[in-house]
Amino acid sequence: MESLIGLVNRLQNACTLLGDYGSAVPTLWESLPSVVVVGGQSSGKSSVLESIVGRDFLPRGSGIVTRRPLVLQLHKTEPRVEDYAEFLHLPKQRFTDFSMVRKEIQDETDKMTGTNRRISPVPIHLTIYSPNVVNLTLIDLPGLTKVAIEGQPEAIVRDIESMVRSYILKPNCIILAITPANQDIATSDAIKLSKEVDPLGERTFGVLTKLDLMDKGTNAVDILEGRAYQLRHPWVGIVNRSQADINNKVDMVAARQREHEFFATSLDYSHLAGRMGSEYLAKLLSKHLEAEIKARIPAITSLINHSIDELEREMSHIGNPVAVDAAAQLYTILELCRAFERVFKEHLDGGRPGGDRIFTVFDSQLPAALRKLPFDQHLSLQNVKRIVSQADGYHPHLIAPEQAYRRLIDGALSYIKEPAAASVDAIHSILKELVRRSIRETEELKRFPALQNEIASAAYDALERFRGDSRKTTLRLVEMESSYLTVDFFRKLPMEPERGSAGSPISSTTDRYSEGHFRRIGSNVSSYVAMVAENLRYTIPKAVVHCQVREAGRSLLDHFYIQLGRRNSKQLGALLNEDPLLMERRQRFSRRLELYQSARDEIDWVLRSE
């Protein structure tokens, strides 16, 4: 499940890249679970983050140091891989010197806010790769303050609180409330604000820092054990490096060891040592974040699909025509079409992912739909009585109500038409998706949006024809079962009349209209329909594959090729038109689209692997 955090990281980056694109973007960002670090100035917030990472990388100083949100993504790497960092605004540039990471954060902050200590809501995205971290994403916000210092605008106190609220109000936000242990918990800015937005403490993790700086003879056991202020999640105590340690450049390995020794040897906290410290906090948050992400996969998937639809609609409108030599045009277009067909067939035949979803429709979706059909309701005693009576008319049946049997069977089998048609539509949707995916994955086509649209349109038209043929064939299979019943099935049914309490047969008149007689009719029809449904479960997929899947692999663009031969040079040139500005725009959308598609594929993989 570790890949889920990486998935959310990529989605967060995608939202940042999309910035001003589409109304779905802020909604998607809000749907992604995240851990937001909240605390007052000098609460030890920066030290907690550095202790979790095991690196010095954050700017330090007096007053408000964090003036822009910092989205910190941690990726665990293989052992013995050197630690390095990357910024989203500096793609492919690796930082192995973490003092330069600190400088870049400071420079990027000053670039947006100036040097007069203003704040900005625009986040900085930083990713750190290390074998010594857990997979985790944290959002560090400016520290809460009560007064503006010299050089700061008076509104900064309100602005910081508004920024913090905008993050922690979101229901998918996990709040990491940092409070120094040498401060009264009742006056904690982080606890006060988190309680307002999360009164039951369901989204809040409490962190106590500076436990080693408490007055002698006092401790924070009541808080850490949840008696002084109760949260749904456990409190975690942290012992950070002192300012002297920072000045003396005490490394994180030594600092973590000291922290471990503090809790292990403390008379007050030794019984809590197993769930104290920065390493425990990181693992706790990572595990909880994974669980939150997993719970929200359906909503995230829906929003991803919506974003993909918007991007695909935008890409479909890109492209203007120019004319070139007709022979070269036709040759190029045919080569591009063949490249697309190769990719499409690879999806169908299993060389690329996607075709396996066809089997899922036949193996899971169709059987499940058949099991849910309301045969029991159709063959209820009341309905059987009604249909038998209607079929008899004024001539009561003598032995077996054949017309009633036929009507009951026809009515029951008619229910199967819906799942049969649904299977056809499901395969149609999969094939359309494979066409879209194949167009996107055909590298040669990416330069020609107009031709992409023509191929998609021609392929969709062909798939629509295949769907029409498939629908007719599958529905005929059902209708054939109604048209001619399997007589041997009914010949083998027991025809003995019911017997009374004395063992003598009940009179035929009474038997024909007894509940037992009607129940026997319903049971016989139910058995027959079950047999037919079981047969159709296997014949419907054969018809669908024959009419849709096989034809899509053999003749998807045949009609398109015929049309191409009738087009003149100008019409062919229109398919190959390419404007540099539009090409750049299309590539930008394509990169965004690939991010979402990658996320959707990974979600599919996670769901299939469970």
Side-chain angles (χ1 to χ4, degrees):
M1 296 300 295
E2 288 184 349
S3 61
L4 285 177
I5 294 180
L7 164 64
V8 167
N9 289 344
R10 285 190 291 279
L11 285 174
Q12 288 173 334
N13 292 342
C15 289
T16 301
L17 291 173
L18 286 168
D20 58 350
Y21 177 79
S23 59
V25 174
T27 306
L28 179 57
W29 174 270
E30 290 169 7
S31 74
L32 302 175
S34 57
V35 180
V36 175
V37 185
V38 180
Q41 287 185 29
S42 304
S43 62
K45 198 159 52 71
S46 295
S47 295
V48 169
L49 291 176
E50 289 186 332
S51 185
I52 288 174
V53 175
R55 283 284 189 170
D56 289 303
F57 68 98
L58 292 173
R60 292 183 178 274
S62 59
I64 301 174
V65 179
T66 304
R67 290 181 285 129
R68 287 177 61 181
L70 175 66
V71 180
L72 176 61
Q73 300 173 349
L74 305 181
H75 285 267
K76 187 175 183 65
T77 60
E78 296 297 322
R80 295 183 294 280
V81 173
E82 183 182 15
D83 293 6
Y84 66 94
E86 292 180 346
F87 288 93
L88 189 61
H89 64 274
L90 296 173
K92 297 182 180 179
Q93 184 173 338
R94 288 191 177 188
F95 291 76
T96 54
D97 182 350
F98 279 78
S99 65
M100 296 305 295
V101 173
R102 180 187 301 112
K103 183 178 184 303
E104 181 61 30
I105 294 174
Q106 187 65 59
D107 291 347
E108 194 65 18
T109 299
D110 291 343
K111 187 186 299 182
M112 185 67 65
T113 65
T115 57
N116 62 350
R117 299 182 181 275
R118 290 185 296 108
I119 64 170
S120 168
V122 180
I124 298 172
H125 286 252
L126 171 64
T127 303
I128 294 178
Y129 300 84
S130 170
N132 303 313
V133 300
V134 295
N135 292 299
L136 183 60
T137 300
L138 301 160
I139 302 176
D140 185 26
L141 299 177
L144 297 163
T145 183
K146 293 181 172 60
V147 294
I149 64 174
E150 185 178 353
Q152 293 177 337
E154 288 297 325
I156 196 167
V157 176
R158 184 182 65 251
D159 292 344
I160 291 176
E161 183 172 328
S162 297
M163 181 191 295
V164 173
R165 282 182 184 277
S166 70
Y167 277 84
I168 65 176
L169 273 170
K170 298 168 185 174
N172 293 328
C173 170
I174 302 164
I175 305 169
L176 191 63
I178 310 292
T179 300
N182 56 357
Q183 171 188 323
D184 187 351
I185 192 75
T187 64
S188 167
D189 296 322
I191 292 298
K192 174 179 175 293
L193 205 55
S194 64
K195 187 175 182 179
E196 290 179 16
V197 300
D198 181 29
L200 300 180
E202 295 176 336
R203 299 188 286 119
T204 304
F205 285 80
V207 176
L208 274 185
T209 60
K210 305 185 180 182
L211 288 166
D212 53 329
L213 301 181
M214 295 185 70
D215 292 339
K216 196 170 183 178
T218 63
N219 62 54
V221 172
D222 283 348
I223 297 175
L224 293 174
E225 292 185 345
R227 292 191 293 272
Y229 185 80
Q230 189 172 11
L231 298 171
R232 181 174 178 180
H233 306 287
W235 282 82
V236 179
I238 299 290
V239 174
N240 294 321
R241 293 180 301 168
S242 65
Q243 188 60 48
D245 290 337
I246 295 171
N247 294 339
N248 294 329
K249 300 188 183 303
V250 174
D251 65 38
M252 287 298 177
V253 175
R256 284 180 174 178
Q257 183 60 33
R258 287 186 188 178
E259 180 183 52
H260 176 75
E261 291 173 358
F262 173 84
F263 288 112
T265 60
S266 170
L267 295 177
D268 295 322
Y269 307 117
S270 58
H271 66 293
L272 299 172
R275 56 184 182 89
M276 296 289 117
S278 54
E279 289 186 83
Y280 173 79
L281 175 63
K283 293 176 182 177
L284 178 69
L285 292 174
S286 179
K287 182 178 180 180
H288 183 74
L289 183 57
E290 287 174 359
E292 288 293 307
I293 293 170
K294 183 177 181 181
R296 287 166 174 78
I297 281 180
I300 293 172
T301 300
S302 175
L303 285 165
I304 289 172
N305 288 334
H306 179 69
S307 299
I308 288 174
D309 290 341
E310 284 197 4
L311 286 165
E312 287 179 339
R313 281 196 296 271
E314 183 68 26
M315 290 182 68
S316 68
H317 292 95
I318 297 176
N320 290 312
V322 290
V324 292
D325 177 73
Q329 291 168 354
L330 185 57
Y331 177 81
T332 301
I333 291 171
L334 291 175
E335 286 297 305
L336 291 169
C337 290
R338 292 189 186 102
F340 157 75
E341 286 185 316
R342 284 194 297 271
V343 174
F344 181 72
K345 289 176 181 177
E346 286 176 7
H347 278 295
L348 283 184
D349 298 337
R352 294 173 184 253
D356 54 310
R357 292 165 58 194
I358 294 173
F359 175 74
T360 302
V361 171
F362 301 143
D363 191 54
S364 301
Q365 182 177 313
L366 176 60
L370 291 174
R371 287 193 295 270
K372 293 178 182 178
L373 293 178
F375 293 142
D376 290 344
Q377 180 180 348
H378 179 69
L379 298 175
S380 65
L381 181 63
Q382 182 179 1
N383 199 47
V384 171
K385 285 182 178 180
R386 181 181 62 81
I387 291 177
V388 170
S389 298
Q390 291 175 352
D392 282 352
Y394 68 90
H395 287 295
H397 59 274
L398 300 178
I399 300 176
E402 182 175 334
Q403 289 302 319
Y405 267 104
R406 293 186 179 277
R407 291 188 185 184
L408 286 167
I409 291 171
D410 286 347
L413 293 183
S414 67
Y415 287 118
I416 300 179
K417 291 182 178 181
E418 183 176 343
S423 296
V424 171
D425 293 339
I427 298 303
H428 179 74
S429 296
I430 291 171
L431 292 174
K432 283 188 71 174
E433 170 59 26
L434 292 182
V435 167
R436 286 194 290 267
R437 183 178 294 188
S438 298
I439 290 174
R440 293 193 300 265
E441 293 176 1
T442 304
E443 292 293 329
E444 300 89 335
L445 272 176
K446 290 184 177 179
R447 295 169 50 217
F448 306 106
L451 182 56
Q452 289 183 46
N453 295 337
E454 286 283 336
I455 290 176
S457 177
Y460 296 159
D461 288 345
L463 292 177
E464 198 64 50
R465 291 193 300 273
F466 302 154
R467 174 164 67 168
D469 293 341
S470 183
R471 184 185 290 270
K472 290 177 183 177
T473 302
T474 53
L475 294 183
R476 281 172 181 166
L477 286 176
V478 180
E479 292 166 357
M480 284 190 293
E481 293 290 349
S482 297
S483 299
Y484 190 78
L485 306 184
T486 305
V487 179
D488 285 349
F489 177 89
F490 294 96
R491 286 174 177 169
K492 296 175 183 178
L493 291 175
M495 301 300 292
E496 294 181 6
E498 289 187 355
R499 297 187 176 272
S501 58
S504 58
I506 301 174
S507 66
S508 61
T509 303
T510 305
D511 180 55
R512 284 199 306 270
Y513 297 100
S514 68
E515 284 195 4
H517 180 59
F518 291 121
R519 291 186 190 280
R520 190 161 58 251
I521 293 172
S523 176
N524 292 342
V525 172
S526 177
S527 298
Y528 182 78
V529 170
M531 178 193 73
V532 173
E534 183 67 14
N535 291 337
L536 289 173
R537 173 187 170 184
Y538 297 106
T539 54
I540 288 172
K542 293 179 180 181
V544 171
V545 169
H546 179 81
C547 296
Q548 286 176 270
V549 180
R550 192 183 72 155
E551 286 303 307
R554 292 172 55 183
S555 58
L556 186 65
L557 296 181
D558 282 6
H559 282 67
F560 183 55
Y561 291 146
I562 294 172
Q563 293 171 0
L564 283 176
R566 298 170 181 168
R567 298 193 184 189
N568 59 36
S569 178
K570 185 176 180 179
Q571 291 171 328
L572 293 173
L575 298 177
L576 298 175
N577 178 67
E578 181 178 37
D579 182 276
L581 293 177
L582 292 179
M583 178 183 176
E584 189 276 332
R585 185 183 177 195
R586 185 181 67 254
Q587 288 174 341
R588 187 169 65 250
F589 286 145
S590 179
R591 286 194 297 269
R592 296 168 180 174
L593 188 57
E594 287 172 3
L595 288 169
Y596 287 113
Q597 290 166 343
S598 175
R600 183 178 61 183
D601 291 344
E602 188 167 344
I603 289 176
D604 289 342
W605 180 84
V606 170
L607 295 178
R608 287 197 303 269
S609 65
E610 290 183 345

